[in-house]
Amino acid sequence: MPGKVIYMLIKIFDEEMHADAFFEQGEMYCRTLGDFKRIEGDTDRGDQYEGVTAWHQPSQISTITVQIASPDGSTRTIDLHPKDMAGPVIMQQTWLDHLNLFCMYAMRSDRLPDSFENEEEAIREIEKANTLLRTQCEIHEGISALGKYAVVIHDVSAFVNRVRSTAKERGIPVRSRLVEYYDPETFHGDFGGLKAAFNKRNIYEHQNEYRFCFQLDGVSGPQKIQVGSLAGMAVKMLTKNLKSTLQLQLSLVKKESEGLP
């Protein structure tokens, strides 16, 4: 997602032993995209519309032609018009169901200015930036529903590079990025290839998700990928303490003039 800066990544766990495994061994338990589609009764984790490749509004469609094959080998054609459709035409491709995902909560905001003309401008812009951080990086209350324990990655680039290098060493294709969110009432378009794995309906926007997507050949179902200890780049804490503990704020650091003692 262009223009976004990720300051921290957070992984929530129901069981402390799983949080410890992630913190101590870097154990990433990766469920398949298909698993998330099939979860019922848990709207925080399950989404039957994971991996949508096309979402077409009836008002934007003239006619859809459907061919139906009969057991005797014959086919018949049906034309569907907008008035025949009760809602959007949604398409999903089954190959996406086999992707293994590792999902995290991202504390992120729009990119902030990194240079200023003078001190007055710096103070003014830093005040604006801190307001932006308070609003865009505020941890959503709903995160507590995901589990009691949290592992907070504070060195995001080191962690992402560790995951990518580990995957490369093992010959596992991996992509990672922020998830983007669309309005299902108005969006009309397609998500080609792996882009489908990084787009969700905006009812999940509060999850601020950053997602790793692994393509493991010759295996099926959830997989564990270990990237090594996260000591030095992460901390473990109770989820209930996240909001009071994690606060981002910029401050102005004045450089001393050269030649002064």
Side-chain angles (χ1 to χ4, degrees), residues 1-5 109-112 136 178:
M1 186 178 295
K4 296 292 183 181
V5 178
S109 77
D110 295 331
R111 191 170 295 278
L112 306 174
Q136 295 194 355
L178 286 164

Side-chain angles (χ1 to χ4, degrees), residues 7-228:
Y7 295 98
M8 296 183 194
L9 290 174
I10 304 171
K11 183 64 178 177
I12 308 297
F13 299 90
D14 288 317
E15 304 290 338
E16 187 170 17
M17 63 181 292
H18 297 148
D20 289 338
F22 181 51
F23 181 77
E24 295 169 6
Q25 291 95 41
E27 183 177 280
M28 302 169 67
Y29 181 75
C30 306
R31 302 177 74 165
T32 67
L33 184 144
D35 288 337
F36 288 108
K37 285 169 63 175
R38 290 185 288 269
I39 293 175
E40 296 182 2
D42 185 349
T43 55
D44 292 307
R45 293 183 174 88
D47 179 9
Q48 63 178 316
Y49 297 116
E50 279 278 7
V52 165
T53 55
W55 191 283
H56 294 162
Q57 300 291 344
S59 61
Q60 303 296 315
I61 299 171
S62 56
T63 304
I64 292 179
T65 300
V66 180
Q67 284 192 334
I68 302 175
S70 301
D72 61 5
S74 63
T75 61
R76 63 191 182 100
T77 300
I78 299 177
D79 289 333
L80 298 177
H81 303 280
K83 63 182 178 61
D84 303 316
M85 303 174 195
V89 177
I90 302 164
M91 300 180 188
Q92 294 167 291
Q93 297 180 0
T94 56
W95 71 271
L96 291 162
D97 290 353
H98 303 289
L99 298 173
N100 289 89
L101 308 179
F102 189 77
C103 310
M104 307 184 75
Y105 183 97
M107 291 183 68
R108 85 289 182 270
S109 77
D110 295 331
R111 191 170 295 278
L112 306 174
D114 54 11
S115 62
F116 309 99
E117 293 294 329
N118 51 57
E119 184 175 330
E120 287 184 1
E121 181 191 5
I123 293 173
R124 185 168 59 251
E125 291 301 320
I126 286 174
E127 288 177 352
K128 291 181 183 177
N130 283 328
T131 299
L132 186 69
L133 288 175
R134 283 192 295 272
T135 56
Q136 295 194 355
C137 290
E138 182 180 12
I139 295 175
H140 195 276
E141 293 289 353
I143 196 172
S144 60
L146 298 176
K148 291 176 57 178
Y149 305 95
V151 175
V152 181
I153 308 290
H154 52 77
D155 192 338
V156 175
S157 61
F159 174 69
V160 172
N161 289 336
R162 173 85 66 82
V163 175
R164 290 177 177 171
S165 62
T166 299
K168 184 177 181 180
E169 289 170 3
R170 300 179 186 178
I172 304 172
V174 61
R175 293 277 296 277
S176 67
R177 53 171 289 185
L178 286 164
V179 169
E180 297 188 43
Y181 302 92
Y182 61 92
D183 184 345
E185 299 298 323
T186 59
F187 176 77
H188 175 82
D190 302 279
F191 303 114
L194 281 178
K195 190 176 180 181
F198 293 97
N199 280 271
K200 291 173 67 71
R201 292 173 296 154
N202 60 4
I203 62 169
Y204 294 97
E205 195 166 11
H206 64 280
Q207 294 182 349
N208 291 337
E209 188 177 336
Y210 186 90
R211 173 175 283 190
F212 291 91
C213 178
F214 299 93
Q215 293 178 272
L216 290 93
D217 294 329
V219 299
S220 61
Q223 302 294 320
K224 293 180 180 179
I225 297 174
Q226 290 193 342
V227 299

